[in-house]
Amino acid sequence: MTWSIVARDRKSGRFGIAISTCAFAVGAICPWSRAGVGALSTQAHTNPLHGPLAIDLMSRGLPVTEALAMTLAHDSGREIRQVHGVDAKGNVFAHTGVNCVDWCGHLTGDDVTVAGNMLAGAAVVADTLARYEANAGLEFGDRLLTALEAGEAAGGDKRGKQSAALLIQGNEPYAEADIRVDDHPEPVTELRRLFGIYSTSRRAYMRTMGGIGDFSGIVDDAERDAFVAANLRADEAS
């Protein structure tokens, strides 16, 4: 009972998922990603196992089309499931089971897929995708959130609102951003507020942390402060 957008940013290779529903803590079980591998959302009558199993299969070289087809083949509840995602080569896959609750469906584009079930109507998915494709110039997280807001404006989950999440997977094993609104009367609006805090205070700091190429990251306080300040100025300028 959810709608979500899963995308790959061609310029950076990052993955992103934005999602909202009228259920508690959607960010805890639906979005999955791994750096350099892919991202997906498992929703409707959610089976969280599609997430880690498909990601593991993709890490072994299978495209998302084959990985999710394999996990669905082993799920006797596949017709009440909705899963969709994108891999590191930009392949996309979406499945909406025939017994998902109307309105339900999905759309795909270049490096992006949108899917939803128990929605106010087809415009929720269509407007989410259209807004994403029309805003290629936005920062990736902002682009995803703007698309989710378009789906909300089109009616969103027909039961109401409760939770939302934004997951950005960069090139490190940990998420670049993992922002969750677990229980709120206006979850997408609250997600936008939290994303604003992240953008102006946390995103630059995350770049100082240890990573695959530099285990320690920036450990000197003065150097870290200068780096964060310079990155904030660069982000504002872009």
Side-chain angles (χ1 to χ4, degrees):
M1 299 69 176
T2 302
W3 89 100
S4 60
I5 177 169
V6 182
R8 171 181 173 268
D9 181 51
R10 280 191 181 181
K11 292 182 288 187
S12 64
R14 292 179 295 163
F15 300 107
I17 305 163
I19 185 168
S20 185
T21 190
C22 185
F24 179 73
V26 68
I29 60 170
C30 292
W32 297 83
S33 67
R34 186 178 298 174
V37 176
L40 64 93
S41 180
T42 172
Q43 53 198 53
H45 288 280
T46 306
N47 182 348
L49 290 177
H50 287 288
L53 290 178
I55 291 289
D56 282 346
L57 290 169
M58 291 157 65
S59 72
R60 299 175 192 175
L62 288 181
V64 66
T65 49
E66 294 182 27
L68 283 173
M70 288 179 66
T71 63
L72 284 165
H74 289 278
D75 187 352
S76 61
R78 69 183 69 87
E79 299 306 341
I80 59 171
R81 316 289 190 209
Q82 191 171 54
V83 293
H84 66 118
V86 60
D87 63 27
K89 294 184 178 180
N91 299 307
V92 296
F93 176 90
H95 162 84
T96 300
V98 297
N99 293 325
C100 288
V101 181
D102 281 338
W103 187 92
C104 58
H106 57 261
L107 292 171
T108 63
D110 293 337
D111 298 280
V112 59
T113 176
V114 181
N117 61 94
M118 200 178 276
L119 301 181
V124 179
V125 167
D127 289 5
T128 299
L129 179 60
R131 186 69 59 86
Y132 180 81
E133 292 182 331
N135 283 289
L138 290 180
E139 184 275 330
F140 187 43
D142 190 17
R143 187 182 182 189
L144 288 163
L145 185 49
T146 298
L148 192 71
E149 290 168 335
E152 173 88 338
D157 187 326
K158 68 181 180 182
R159 297 168 303 161
K161 311 169 186 179
Q162 188 170 4
S163 66
L166 176 68
L167 177 64
I168 306 293
Q169 181 70 58
N171 298 319
E172 304 296 347
Y174 51 84
E176 180 179 313
D178 188 355
I179 307 172
R180 303 180 186 184
V181 179
D182 288 343
D183 184 30
H184 196 279
E186 294 291 342
V188 175
T189 300
E190 177 66 2
L191 187 62
R192 169 62 75 177
R193 185 186 74 84
L194 294 176
F195 179 74
I197 296 172
Y198 163 80
S199 299
T200 56
S201 64
R202 191 64 175 172
R203 181 164 55 200
Y205 181 81
M206 291 290 292
R207 297 169 184 158
T208 71
M209 294 183 176
I212 293 175
D214 178 5
F215 188 87
S216 301
I218 301 176
V219 297
D220 180 79
D221 288 344
E223 183 181 356
R224 185 189 308 111
D225 290 346
F227 180 92
V228 169
N231 274 256
L232 285 172
R233 290 193 296 270
D235 285 347
E236 291 171 357
S238 63

